[in-house]
Amino acid sequence: MLNLDRDVVIVGAGPSGLTAARELKKAGLTVAVLEARDRVGGRTWTDTIDGAVLEIGGQWVSPDQTALMGLLDELGLKMYSRYRDGESVYVAPDGSRTRYTGASFPVSENTATEMDKLTAILDSLAAEIGAEEPWAHPKARELDTISFHHWLRQNSTDEEACNNIGLFIAGGMLTKPAHAFSALQAVLMAASAGSFSNLTDEDFILDKRVIGGMQQVSLLQAAELGDDVVLNTPVRTINWQEDADGGYRVTVVSERATVNARFVIMAVPPNLYSRVSFNPPLPRRQHQMHQHQSLGLVIKVHAVYSTPFWREDGLSGTGFGADALVQEVYDNTNHGDTRGTLVGFISDEKADAVFELSAEDRKKAVLESIAGFLGEKALGAEVYYESDWGSEEWTRGAYAASYDLGGLHRYGKDQHAAVGPIYWSSSDLAAEGYQHVDGAVRMGQATAARIVTANNRISAVPVA
């Protein structure tokens, strides 16, 4: 058992926790990072499966993600553009397949008009309400007490338009059915990316990837921190009390280490807060709030082929179909790789359904769905792998947490509130970059800055 004395203990060695630790060390504070898993990276994970390097978790970088790009530069990491040459494929509700170019789906004139209308409304709301404090806006309660599903249908009677617009936030981002979260939560998702239009533009939101994989953001920071990162050590108890100088004394007990500190950062998603016993217990408000935040469910499917055959057919590898089993598919070929890799996503209730199948039947159904976009050659994957974060003990879902209906306007203002020496930091709580690695980095930087300020304030108090 390790016994450590530090200024700050960080629970969770994902991008947010490690960024916070790195910033705190720059400011002259000592840190310990405790991680339950046998690896760093949290919901980013670059692994080799059957000889193929796959991005099991988060991977893309969009042009607005300046905090992440700044950190990539500091760490000496380079990016490359996602392959996007050629035509995309749209699978309509009746199963028909259409090749197209440009940003607009090949739908009827009426459906296109309705999609444009809904996009304009969401862009306007995202600009008006913003990502910083959506719960404080005069429209917050109104938008938070209606599901996104029903809000869409209040604003359009075109079912195909509603499902297509819903896809970009429900299946595509929050990975929950559109009836399970509010219109306000959808607006936050859009505002966090700069606009709803940005979310619908795959060339923006899925712009670049990191050469060598996104997990390097965590691996390189952990390497800098060295022995200050302790793996395989789930945190079980956080004990704290006020000190005579206005500060705190904290003891964090994990399976391999006991750390005495003055501050704690919980750098894990909100659904894992309850895995830790707090003494004294968290306030009522925190207990209630955490029960209204949950992760969605998505299967990220990787299919690797001897060549990127779709390119030979003039296809980009991009496909959309709100009613298809695999609702989105993209070319995910690694930098410099002669093989071709596709990635597809199966969200929420569709994921529930395929998990009831055997692994063999599920693979067959998934590849048939991808073949519906890109042709029969998609059936012949040489490597097939499913990223199932819902079964990960220390994650339990993907991509990130969101509030249930009515939760955002009710609890949002308290989600960053420190409890004594305990601070909260994860992409689930971010404004800009919400749900993305960029948001995790922003939260890590902001939380470290808050602790530095609090530490300076305590240090400046004269000893009686």
Side-chain angles (χ1 to χ4, degrees):
M1 174 69 76
L2 298 171
N3 289 284
L4 306 174
D5 294 312
R6 297 289 192 272
D7 294 315
V8 186
V9 57
I10 296 103
V11 180
S16 192
L18 290 169
T19 298
R22 186 168 181 262
E23 293 298 312
L24 288 164
K25 287 200 77 171
K26 284 182 186 178
L29 298 179
T30 58
V31 301
V33 184
L34 306 180
E35 169 58 49
R37 293 185 176 92
D38 61 359
R39 61 171 182 83
V40 300
R43 285 166 277 180
T44 62
W45 185 13
T46 308
D47 201 8
T48 301
I49 307 294
D50 296 335
V53 176
L54 304 178
E55 288 278 47
I56 308 300
Q59 62 174 76
W60 281 298
V61 185
S62 58
D64 62 324
Q65 295 179 351
T66 54
L68 173 57
M69 288 190 286
L71 181 55
L72 292 175
D73 284 342
E74 284 185 40
L75 298 173
L77 294 172
K78 305 298 183 183
M79 298 183 291
Y80 67 104
S81 296
R82 179 180 62 85
Y83 185 83
R84 62 195 75 179
D85 295 340
E87 295 179 308
S88 300
V89 176
Y90 176 73
V91 175
D94 64 3
S96 61
R97 173 181 179 270
T98 305
R99 297 168 64 136
Y100 70 99
T101 58
S104 300
F105 290 170
V107 295
S108 70
E109 183 178 348
N110 182 72
T111 297
T113 298
E114 290 298 295
M115 289 178 65
D116 288 344
K117 180 182 74 174
L118 291 168
T119 296
I121 296 171
L122 285 165
D123 277 345
S124 177
L125 286 171
E128 177 184 347
I129 293 174
E132 291 293 331
E133 295 184 313
W135 48 82
H137 194 273
K139 294 179 182 176
R141 182 178 178 83
E142 171 193 344
L143 291 170
D144 204 32
T145 53
I146 182 173
S147 75
F148 189 46
H149 172 97
H150 289 96
W151 180 89
L152 287 168
R153 285 151 185 83
Q154 272 191 354
N155 287 278
S156 176
T157 58
D158 188 302
E159 193 65 13
E160 186 176 2
C162 290
N163 284 331
N164 284 342
I165 294 298
L167 165 66
F168 290 106
I169 288 183
M173 288 293 171
L174 299 181
T175 62
K176 293 179 177 179
H179 62 255
F181 60 88
S182 73
L184 184 65
Q185 187 78 59
V187 170
L188 167 59
M189 187 72 250
S192 73
S195 69
F196 180 74
S197 291
N198 284 346
L199 288 184
T200 68
D201 181 359
E202 71 272 13
D203 289 345
F204 179 88
I205 201 71
L206 311 180
D207 182 28
K208 296 184 185 299
R209 293 176 58 193
V210 177
I211 296 175
M214 185 66 82
Q215 191 186 3
Q216 290 178 101
V217 170
S218 296
L219 291 169
L220 293 175
Q221 292 191 97
E224 287 184 17
L225 294 165
D227 291 341
D228 288 333
V229 179
V230 184
L231 302 179
N232 296 303
T233 187
V235 169
R236 301 304 187 190
T237 306
I238 295 176
N239 303 302
W240 64 276
Q241 61 184 20
E242 291 190 44
D243 217 340
D245 62 0
Y248 302 96
R249 283 182 291 165
V250 178
T251 301
V252 176
V253 181
S254 67
E255 291 194 354
R256 293 184 56 217
T258 297
V259 185
N260 298 306
R262 292 183 292 145
F263 299 95
V264 181
I265 298 176
M266 290 291 291
V268 297
N271 65 304
L272 296 183
Y273 296 162
S274 63
R275 300 298 302 275
V276 177
S277 295
F278 296 88
N279 182 33
L282 297 176
R284 177 196 316 109
R285 186 75 172 170
Q286 292 283 331
H287 283 160
Q288 287 289 302
M289 175 171 57
H290 301 160
Q291 294 178 69
H292 290 269
Q293 294 167 290
S294 62
L295 271 73
L297 175 66
V298 63
I299 308 171
K300 182 180 184 182
V301 176
H302 313 258
V304 183
Y305 303 86
S306 58
T307 63
F309 63 84
W310 50 93
R311 299 181 187 178
E312 301 164 7
D313 193 28
L315 294 174
S316 64
T318 299
F320 296 100
D323 294 282
L325 174 61
V326 179
Q327 294 179 305
E328 305 170 81
V329 62
Y330 303 99
D331 185 319
N332 211 42
T333 303
N334 291 325
H335 180 72
D337 198 347
T338 58
R339 293 174 296 179
T341 301
L342 294 171
V343 64
F345 297 92
I346 308 166
S347 293
D348 54 73
E349 293 172 313
K350 292 177 180 177
D352 293 341
V354 295
F355 274 135
E356 294 184 2
L357 303 176
S358 68
E360 182 179 346
D361 288 344
R362 184 167 61 249
K363 176 182 177 180
K364 181 175 183 290
V366 170
L367 291 179
E368 285 177 350
S369 184
I370 294 175
F373 293 101
L374 301 175
E376 293 299 304
K377 289 183 180 179
L379 299 174
E382 296 180 353
V383 177
Y384 175 88
Y385 183 78
E386 297 166 357
S387 299
D388 173 21
W389 289 93
S391 66
E392 287 277 325
E393 175 69 6
W394 300 109
T395 305
R396 303 188 171 192
Y399 306 113
S402 56
Y403 285 95
D404 57 14
L405 201 63
L408 181 56
H409 88 282
R410 183 178 176 187
Y411 296 108
K413 68 184 179 65
D414 296 307
Q415 65 182 11
H416 295 145
V419 177
I422 305 167
Y423 292 71
W424 319 95
S425 184
S426 69
S427 64
D428 315 79
L429 308 178
E432 292 179 85
Y434 169 55
Q435 292 211 348
H436 291 87
V437 179
D438 179 74
V441 171
R442 289 177 188 274
M443 285 299 302
Q445 293 170 342
T447 306
R450 291 176 66 194
I451 287 179
V452 169
T453 299
N455 182 68
N456 290 341
R457 184 174 61 247
I458 293 168
S459 300
V461 175
V463 178

